[in-house]
Amino acid sequence: VSHYRLFPKALGRLVAALGVRELHLTLTQGFWRTQAWGQPPLQAPPGAELWVWFQPTVTNIDKAWKELSNILSGIFCASLNFIDSTNTVIPTASFKPLGLANGTDHRLLRYAVLPREVVCTENLTPWKKLLPCGSKAGLAVLLKAERLFHSSYHSQAVHIRPVCRDASCLAVSWELRQTLTVVFDTFSSGQGKKDWSLFKMFSRTLTDACPLASQSKVYVDISPKNKEKELLEVTPPPASLHEAIVQGDKRTYAVYDLLSPSLFNTSRSLNVQLKWKRPQDSSELPTPILYAQRYVSGYGLQTGDISTLIYNTHPYRAFPVLLLETVPWYLRLYVHTLTIVTKGKENKPSYIHYQPAQDRRRPHLLEMLIQLPANSATKITIQFERALLKWTEYPPDPNHGFYVGSSVLSALVPSVIAMKDVDVEQSPLFASLFPSSDGSSYFVRLYTEPLLVNLPTPDFSMPYNVICLTCTVVAVCYGSFYNLLTRTFHVEEPNRGGLAKRLANIIRKFRGVPPL
Amino acid sequence: VVEGLSLLDLGVSPYSGAVFHETPLIIYLFHFLIEYAELVFMITDVLTAVALYLAIQDFNRVVFKKQKLLIELDKYAPDVAELIRTPMEMHYIPLKVALFYLLNPYTVMSCVAKSTCAINNTVISFFILATMKGSAFLSAVFLALATYQSLYPLTLFAPALLYLLQRQFIPVKLKSKSFWLYTMQYASLYLCSLVVIICLSFFLLNSWDFIPSVYGFILSVPDLTPNIGLFWYFFAEMFEHFSLFFVCVFQINVFFYTIPLAIKLKEHPVFFMFVQIAIISIFKSYPTVGDVALYMAFLPVWNHLYRFLRNIFILSCVLIVCSVLFPVLWHLWIYAGSANSNFYYAITLTFNIGQV
């Protein structure tokens, strides 16, 4: 990469130096509530997630991975340097390359997730700096940290992948995609009404487009629900409407093109407002076809169960789903207790890849391809045992517990409505966000909840005492043995002496009792 | 073991994880026997009891013969009349030994828990039987099997050697040629059988993976699951800097008592064997109550020495109280959450074993 006009130099140099083919980094605060908010456009697990495909020319991938995570932690001010071999796995089937790829040797892939990572304004600032206009012009002026973090869910991501430069695909260029997903809870803070405006959400309005941008558009979802028109009103009226089929749903978008000169004719700033004509009593969101939950069960600090529930709500189509679970080494999984039950019957996965953990070196990796019958709920259960760690391996707050990263579900979900191919030139956003390889299904990657598990803790105030007491026991044992082994017995003459004894003997003679 | 079997079924080497630490022969044994697991463990316990019975019977016969000889040679002092063992009391000792083993609550617990320690005990008791009968070959084979499964029975080499020498009436002098000859014979039998067994395991699983998993695990103590021994809490609270040093010290501790005991107890190799088994069960890296059961079974053999045991009441009380408190304190720590209890756990039992 040699033209750094739009592409940030920091990432470009990184990609070139370490032989990275694809890089996907997400930093997320909060968990996407599918029941309340519907199907997510792009879900990310809470915490930090990093997965990277390396070029085949890289010789020592583990070293490159370590360097990469350290450099990225510097660029994004996130503690990605905690990524090491104890939380890195090599999935075999789940994370296929999203860009151009020649071969897919899964040994070139690394995946790590840090569920405990917290996202804050320090992570947003370097993310904004990577944009060509920064936060000075264009859509990014809306991104003020104080409003963005006043939200229920905040996820920022950086995706780098190689793409064809044009339709004939003679040259390959790097595509950098930065996404920001935020869920504002205006319902609770906006006096019970679901009306919103850009000014209310971001405390700013749009004034112009970034001069370096070739396209700068705002899409507002105004899909009618239940075929009722005129339920909501968007001001200012949009210049055009765009229809697309997104995740099996037909949606209509109002389009505001910041580059068109007619937009800023009436006022110098653009404040998109949405008002509901009729009060909404219940928000009926369509149930997503595929969703999952995960929880840990059991009592006590010795054993437990991890259960994952996967729901397929499609009325008549069954499809397979690929489940990837990464469990840290201190929860020892027992794979003979793995049970998969669908509708009361056992469901055998068609592909299992299990790599057991090694203490302090590698986490557990479980990948399974499970067939989900139509309209069913599948429950996957596996038992684990908790290990006792050395006292220095506990985090500063040991009774908070240990986080287990989200498990990843990847599936090609069949859509109810037939989808047509989206033209890349016309709407690059939809082409890259919601690609469809064939018209009947779309790719979905879901993440389950992370788990919080308590481990038995030793008493942290006692290292010196423990050492002393245990060594005392050993010394007692050694002492007794030494005594037994080296004691010699002498025959001792009974001694007559002792004044007290003689007196006692005299008294005894008087009493008639035999002497001592 | 079940985990190892299922990993094998999945096509992954059972030793690639950190959960399975048994030897390949055990995997293959259980491959066939997993359906009848309870029956298998009951049979192993019965076999152990039978082996101990026969062994002690033989031992008693030898002891009685020696005693008779010494009485005739008039070597005993006259005060010792009450210590002379009569055939009548000696008749019941083997039965008592077998019953001690079978009815010991520790044995019952380890059978119910289906712990592979029972198999270990069976192999060791067969080794003792073979040694008592005087067959050097069989005893070497069984000792090799026992060492193969858990490293510590290596220390039983010395008492077995001493007993066999005694049986052959070869005096234990460092200069004597026949002593060295016999020692070499026995050692080579033992080493050859050990090598054969290890190579057999290699061919069963086509890899040398099992060596670090089984022996490396025993020697370097990476897993700190609480058990009834001393090590786990010690290593949980150790400073990182010293952990290698202390691992070495603890392991040496087990093997260290062999030589002094051999020198002191060369006249009484069976007692030596008993003491050695006790030491192994205290200081081994992952002790279980099954090990304790094995050496407690030997107590009736030395019936006549009971009057010389000091503090017997206190000891038995401490032992019983500790055994009762173990599950209570375990429950308290793991399920109810009070931290120091498990530590008390470790100290008490080992205190009383140390005194015994």
Side-chain angles (χ1 to χ4, degrees):
Chain A
V1 185
S2 40
H3 295 291
Y4 291 114
R5 195 171 64 99
L6 294 173
F7 203 91
K9 192 163 183 184
L11 287 182
R13 294 269 293 269
L14 177 70
V15 158
L18 290 174
V20 168
R21 193 167 71 190
E22 265 191 46
L23 185 146
H24 302 268
L25 169 68
T26 59
L27 291 164
T28 313
Q29 175 82 10
F31 184 70
W32 183 275
R33 294 173 206 285
T34 316
Q35 318 279 56
W37 303 333
Q39 183 97 317
L42 268 182
Q43 197 179 5
E49 187 206 32
L50 176 66
W51 58 280
V52 175
W53 275 93
F54 285 93
Q55 304 276 10
T57 53
V58 177
T59 42
N60 191 349
I61 298 208
D62 291 318
K63 188 152 135 339
W65 171 253
K66 186 100 185 110
E67 274 184 41
L68 179 69
S69 53
N70 277 309
I71 295 178
L72 283 174
S73 90
I75 294 179
F76 288 98
C77 298
S79 348
L80 298 174
N81 52 329
F82 283 123
I83 294 179
D84 55 8
S85 67
T86 62
N87 44 29
T88 309
V89 289
I90 307 178
T92 52
S94 286
F95 285 93
K96 293 293 177 211
L98 293 178
L100 297 175
N102 257 343
T104 52
D105 182 4
H106 67 266
R107 281 190 298 259
L108 300 171
L109 169 66
R110 293 288 186 276
Y111 172 79
V113 64
L114 291 172
R116 212 180 167 135
E117 201 49 39
V118 169
V119 180
C120 53
T121 56
E122 278 176 358
N123 306 114
L124 185 63
T125 316
W127 186 90
K128 281 197 288 189
K129 275 208 216 149
L130 294 173
L131 296 169
C133 284
S135 52
K136 299 189 180 57
L139 292 169
V141 296
L142 293 176
L143 305 175
K144 285 291 148 203
E146 51 185 348
R147 298 299 305 168
L148 278 182
F149 285 97
H150 201 67
S151 56
S152 314
Y153 175 83
H154 172 100
S155 167
Q156 61 195 60
V158 169
H159 302 276
I160 300 179
R161 60 180 187 158
V163 290
C164 292
R165 209 171 281 183
D166 46 28
S168 53
C169 214
L170 290 168
V172 172
S173 49
W174 295 103
E175 177 198 78
L176 168 67
R177 188 148 53 96
Q178 287 179 255
T179 64
L180 184 69
T181 313
V182 181
V183 175
F184 286 102
D185 201 356
T186 53
F187 192 60
S188 62
S189 61
Q191 297 102 33
K193 277 188 280 191
K194 288 192 354 177
D195 304 338
W196 55 265
S197 74
L198 281 184
F199 188 72
K200 258 203 258 182
M201 286 199 294
F202 297 106
S203 73
R204 290 196 142 222
T205 53
L206 293 165
T207 45
D208 55 4
C210 176
L212 293 170
S214 49
Q215 274 198 13
S216 188
K217 292 189 183 153
V218 176
Y219 289 86
V220 180
D221 185 349
I222 52 171
S223 321
K225 292 198 216 320
N226 307 327
K227 307 252 192 297
E228 288 179 19
K229 309 266 176 186
E230 305 292 327
L231 202 56
L232 44 80
E233 186 199 353
V234 187
T235 51
S240 60
L241 295 176
H242 177 86
E243 290 199 353
I245 300 187
V246 166
Q247 290 174 343
D249 235 2
K250 199 166 165 137
R251 300 214 193 144
T252 316
Y253 291 91
V255 182
Y256 296 91
D257 191 350
L258 290 175
L259 285 174
S260 80
S262 58
L263 192 66
F264 294 108
N265 269 349
T266 41
S267 66
R268 262 193 304 159
S269 69
L270 171 67
N271 182 18
V272 179
Q273 280 177 318
L274 186 124
K275 282 197 179 51
W276 292 92
K277 294 253 182 76
R278 252 172 277 157
Q280 286 268 295
D281 297 320
S282 61
S283 54
E284 287 287 328
L285 286 164
T287 330
I289 293 183
L290 176 69
Y291 65 99
Q293 289 169 339
R294 187 169 73 152
Y295 55 91
V296 72
S297 52
Y299 64 94
L301 289 176
Q302 191 182 12
T303 52
D305 259 329
I306 297 182
S307 306
T308 313
L309 285 167
I310 310 181
Y311 298 92
N312 173 11
T313 56
H314 201 284
Y316 49 86
R317 287 280 295 275
F319 56 89
V321 72
L322 194 61
L323 172 69
L324 170 78
E325 284 225 27
T326 311
V327 178
W329 64 267
Y330 38 82
L331 299 179
R332 300 173 207 268
L333 291 182
Y334 284 102
V335 83
H336 70 272
T337 57
L338 177 67
T339 54
I340 307 179
V341 172
T342 311
K343 288 195 201 171
K345 284 193 303 209
E346 202 196 314
N347 185 356
K348 235 177 125 47
S350 29
Y351 169 74
I352 293 191
H353 173 76
Y354 175 62
Q355 199 180 42
Q358 280 184 341
D359 274 9
R360 301 179 178 89
R361 264 186 290 175
R362 206 171 61 187
H364 292 280
L365 172 68
L366 180 61
E367 268 186 283
M368 295 190 288
L369 183 68
I370 306 170
Q371 191 74 11
L372 299 179
N375 217 4
S376 65
T378 308
K379 182 164 174 181
I380 302 157
T381 323
I382 188 166
Q383 280 180 6
F384 63 88
E385 202 181 56
R386 301 170 210 229
L388 184 70
L389 301 177
K390 298 196 181 157
W391 69 305
T392 47
E393 290 172 349
Y394 285 87
D397 184 7
N399 289 308
H400 179 76
F402 288 79
Y403 282 97
V404 178
S406 313
S407 44
V408 187
L409 292 154
S410 326
L412 275 174
V413 179
S415 81
V416 186
I417 312 177
M419 302 190 294
K420 54 182 191 300
D421 254 338
V422 187
D423 192 7
V424 181
E425 291 296 327
Q426 218 179 40
S427 48
L429 176 72
F430 288 94
S432 68
L433 265 189
F434 308 112
S436 64
S437 48
D438 61 67
S440 63
S441 57
Y442 57 93
F443 178 71
V444 155
R445 184 170 281 144
L446 292 182
Y447 294 89
T448 59
E449 292 92 335
L451 304 171
L452 188 59
V453 172
N454 262 325
L455 286 183
T457 53
D459 192 354
F460 294 102
S461 60
M462 304 242 314
Y464 185 65
N465 306 13
V466 168
I467 298 179
C468 283
L469 285 167
T470 314
C471 291
T472 311
V473 172
V474 174
V476 161
C477 197
Y478 175 76
S480 348
F481 272 111
Y482 183 76
N483 209 2
L484 281 174
L485 292 176
T486 55
R487 188 190 296 186
T488 51
F489 290 96
H490 298 285
V491 178
E492 198 185 69
E493 296 297 312
N495 61 340
R496 314 286 179 80
L499 182 63
K501 230 189 193 166
R502 263 185 271 173
L503 274 176
N505 274 339
I506 296 171
I507 298 176
R508 289 183 102 132
K509 230 191 324 198
F510 275 126
R511 285 169 60 196
V513 169
L516 282 171
Chain B
V1 176
V2 181
E3 181 70 10
L5 280 177
S6 69
L7 278 176
L8 203 60
D9 287 336
L10 274 180
V12 179
S13 157
Y15 298 107
S16 59
V19 174
F20 184 69
H21 297 285
E22 286 287 341
T23 56
L25 280 182
I26 297 277
I27 299 190
Y28 273 91
L29 190 66
F30 276 95
H31 207 60
F32 303 114
L33 297 176
I34 195 70
E35 316 290 316
Y36 319 106
E38 288 102 14
L39 207 58
V40 166
F41 282 102
M42 286 200 291
I43 292 180
T44 51
D45 275 342
V46 167
L47 279 176
T48 315
V50 164
L52 286 176
Y53 179 86
L54 294 171
I56 298 298
Q57 218 177 33
D58 210 55
F59 173 60
N60 276 349
R61 222 174 290 150
V62 166
V63 164
F64 191 62
K65 254 198 300 199
K66 205 158 62 158
Q67 195 180 253
K68 211 158 71 153
L69 188 68
L70 288 173
I71 290 181
E72 282 163 19
L73 291 181
D74 209 24
K75 280 240 181 130
Y76 284 140
D79 295 349
V80 186
E82 47 202 16
L83 280 184
I84 301 275
R85 315 173 70 178
T86 61
M88 195 148 85
E89 76 177 60
M90 292 182 63
H91 183 64
Y92 283 112
I93 289 186
L95 193 63
K96 275 199 223 171
V97 166
L99 280 179
F100 248 62
Y101 184 74
L102 282 177
L103 296 178
N104 195 348
Y106 291 142
T107 321
V108 174
M109 281 201 300
S110 111
C111 180
V112 167
K114 298 189 218 158
S115 132
T116 47
C117 180
I119 301 182
N120 231 0
N121 284 359
T122 312
V123 175
I124 293 183
S125 57
F126 272 114
F127 154 70
I128 295 177
L129 176 61
T131 315
M132 297 296 182
K133 294 281 185 199
S135 145
F137 173 65
L138 272 181
S139 126
V141 165
F142 280 117
L143 187 62
L145 266 178
T147 312
Y148 163 72
Q149 211 180 349
S150 76
L151 217 44
Y152 298 107
L154 180 61
T155 55
L156 293 174
F157 179 78
L161 183 62
L162 285 173
Y163 187 78
L164 288 167
L165 284 174
Q166 222 183 43
R167 241 185 120 92
Q168 307 275 17
F169 303 111
I170 301 175
V172 183
K173 285 201 230 304
L174 280 176
K175 306 265 192 345
S176 128
K177 212 158 74 135
S178 53
F179 163 67
W180 283 112
L181 194 66
Y182 196 78
T183 315
M184 286 300 127
Q185 251 182 342
Y186 189 61
S188 59
L189 272 174
Y190 169 66
L191 285 171
C192 287
S193 23
L194 194 60
V195 165
V196 162
I197 295 175
I198 291 189
C199 291
L200 187 65
S201 344
F202 171 69
F203 285 120
L204 277 179
L205 277 182
N206 288 330
S207 72
W208 292 109
D209 274 350
F210 71 97
I211 290 189
S213 275
V214 179
Y215 303 122
F217 182 75
I218 293 180
L219 287 177
S220 67
V221 193
D223 176 17
L224 293 172
T225 319
N227 48 53
I228 62 170
L230 292 165
F231 284 2
W232 58 277
Y233 207 59
F234 190 77
F235 287 108
E237 299 264 2
M238 168 85 61
F239 301 105
E240 272 305 309
H241 196 59
F242 297 109
S243 61
L244 186 60
F245 168 67
F246 276 106
V247 164
C248 295
V249 165
F250 271 78
Q251 299 295 349
I252 290 176
N253 207 8
V254 183
F255 295 102
F256 173 68
Y257 295 106
T258 314
I259 309 229
L261 280 174
I263 298 174
K264 183 77 185 185
L265 291 174
K266 51 179 188 260
E267 318 294 313
H268 309 277
V270 183
F271 187 66
F272 179 22
M273 206 177 293
F274 163 68
V275 173
Q276 196 62 263
I277 293 181
I279 292 180
I280 291 177
S281 87
I282 305 175
F283 290 116
K284 95 193 249 205
S285 20
Y286 293 100
T288 62
V289 290
D291 302 317
V292 180
L294 184 63
Y295 83 79
M296 280 178 62
F298 278 101
L299 289 176
V301 180
W302 291 283
N303 246 337
H304 56 292
L305 296 175
Y306 276 176
R307 63 180 65 227
F308 295 114
L309 286 178
R310 306 172 282 172
N311 314 320
I312 200 171
F313 178 65
I314 295 184
L315 269 181
S316 34
C317 277
V318 171
L319 203 62
I320 294 179
V321 166
C322 286
S323 322
V324 166
L325 279 179
F326 268 142
V328 173
L329 292 174
W330 168 257
H331 184 89
L332 219 52
W333 183 41
I334 294 287
Y335 298 103
S338 101
N340 252 337
S341 359
N342 218 349
F343 180 67
Y344 162 71
Y345 211 117
I347 292 282
T348 331
L349 178 63
T350 48
F351 255 81
N352 67 58
I353 293 186
Q355 280 154 2
V356 170

